[in-house]
Amino acid sequence: MLQVALQTATPTPVPTPVVGPEGLAAYWALIRRAVWFVAGFVAVVLVGWFAVEPLVARFVRRRNSNNPTIQEAVSRYVRLLVLVVAFFVAAGTAGYGRFIGDSALVIAAGTLAVGVAGQTVIGSIVSGLVLVVDPEFNVGNYIEWADREGTVQSITLRVTRILTPDGELVTVPNTLLTGQAITRPYGRGRRRIVEHVGVAYEADVAAALDHLTAATEAVDDIVAEPTPKAYVDDFGSDSVVLRVHYWIEDPRRRDIFAVRSAYARAAKERLEAAGITISPASKRELQGRIGVDGAADGTAGGETDGRAD
């Protein structure tokens, strides 16, 4: 009985670790996968950082030479994307593709959660990339959107900063700019200006049209081709409304005001020199009673009915 108890209490001997080629063979598969993982990861990172990222950065720099903010942001996001791609490529090269495939449900759930939580930010980033690659949208452009206008100062992956004519710096989400119409009134190298001038009905309309056309010659910034034109636009209640078309080259917003002011002065001088009344005073028919006070000699006053224009 005592012998059985002693045999039961005897500890089980621990096997001695095998050192040598036989021991390394047990870990060879794990070591090989680790080597393939590192090799695949490093290869993708080298190609992405030293080949793909410089090409993308060169393209962005050429399209946005005055916007270093977007250049740095795009380079940063490209490098981050390369790291993500490198991880999945390395995992597939090392033979962990099945493990990643088995975890697809978890990855999908995580992606959905991130997408729902950051849909606004992600939407702005995508919109920012759209604006960056759009050849018609650049830093320095004067744009009009919704009921606002201003000059584009910088384009980031989330927002665009616009300087208004009043000196306000407005930060606009990129989703707002890509979701509605944007107008570039001075973006095509040539712009047509339309002026309206009212003259009296008694004036010589044909002569007024000639004077309005000739007034464009006094402004250097107005081009001769296309030829300036003047038309009768409307018959107003007090005047004949004339319409003038002329063109200027490579306009900027500040130049538009200067050219229109110069033309207005030239047209006014020519019309006044020709005796043509500009924007005559409105005439209104009045009806009612007019009371007349007594004169200084004491005569009684009275009332009269009448009409006055």
Side-chain angles (χ1 to χ4, degrees):
M1 193 62 134
L2 182 60
Q3 183 179 3
V4 173
L6 291 176
Q7 289 179 353
T8 305
T10 303
T12 305
V14 178
T16 304
V18 180
V19 180
E22 295 79 2
L24 293 177
Y27 298 99
W28 175 246
L30 182 60
I31 296 174
R32 184 178 59 184
R33 286 190 174 187
V35 171
W36 277 110
F37 183 90
V38 173
F41 187 86
V42 172
V44 174
V45 169
L46 291 177
V47 173
W49 284 14
F50 295 99
V52 177
E53 190 271 338
L55 291 177
V56 176
R58 191 178 303 114
F59 171 78
V60 174
R61 192 179 305 111
R62 184 170 60 251
R63 287 277 297 105
N64 300 270
S65 57
N66 298 326
N67 192 1
T69 303
I70 195 65
Q71 297 175 19
E72 296 176 2
V74 169
S75 297
R76 189 180 306 114
Y77 279 104
V78 168
R79 287 175 174 261
L80 179 61
L81 180 62
V82 168
L83 291 176
V84 175
V85 173
F87 172 79
F88 285 100
V89 171
T93 305
Y96 294 113
R98 182 177 179 181
F99 172 76
I100 295 177
D102 294 340
S103 305
L105 182 59
V106 177
I107 296 175
T111 304
L112 178 61
V114 173
V116 172
Q119 58 181 345
T120 301
V121 176
I122 295 174
S124 296
I125 293 175
V126 174
S127 299
L129 293 176
V130 171
L131 294 177
V132 168
V133 300
D134 186 357
E136 298 296 333
F137 192 89
N138 296 284
V139 173
N141 288 348
Y142 192 91
I143 65 172
E144 297 175 355
W145 82 101
D147 57 345
R148 305 295 298 273
E149 58 182 321
T151 304
V152 178
Q153 297 295 302
S154 65
I155 308 171
T156 67
L157 290 181
R158 193 179 64 85
V159 298
T160 296
R161 293 179 176 85
I162 301 176
L163 184 65
T164 67
D166 297 331
E168 301 172 337
L169 186 62
V170 182
T171 300
V172 184
N174 291 329
T175 51
L176 183 63
L177 295 178
T178 55
Q180 61 181 274
I182 299 176
T183 303
R184 287 184 57 195
Y186 318 121
R188 288 298 181 182
R190 178 180 294 176
R191 177 176 170 84
R192 186 184 72 173
I193 306 298
V194 178
E195 303 285 2
H196 294 85
V197 180
V199 299
Y201 273 95
E202 298 80 11
D204 186 344
V205 174
L209 293 175
D210 293 338
H211 284 299
L212 291 176
T213 304
T216 59
E217 300 175 359
V219 183
D220 295 335
D221 291 328
I222 298 178
V223 298
E225 292 294 336
T227 306
K229 300 290 184 181
Y231 310 91
V232 176
D233 186 63
D234 190 18
F235 294 101
S237 58
D238 304 308
S239 63
V240 180
V241 181
L242 309 181
R243 181 187 182 101
V244 187
H245 295 180
Y246 57 84
W247 296 79
I248 61 176
E249 291 282 359
D250 192 21
R252 296 291 184 270
R253 188 175 189 274
R254 59 182 180 274
D255 300 333
I256 297 292
F257 294 137
V259 171
R260 295 187 64 179
S261 176
Y263 174 77
R265 294 195 302 269
K268 182 176 183 295
E269 292 175 359
R270 292 188 66 94
L271 293 176
E272 288 180 346
I276 298 175
T277 304
I278 305 173
S279 298
S282 301
K283 295 181 179 180
R284 294 291 182 270
E285 186 177 276
L286 302 179
Q287 295 181 354
R289 287 182 175 276
I290 300 176
V292 180
D293 292 337
D297 56 0
T299 58
E303 293 183 352
T304 181
D305 292 332
R307 294 183 179 183
D309 290 341

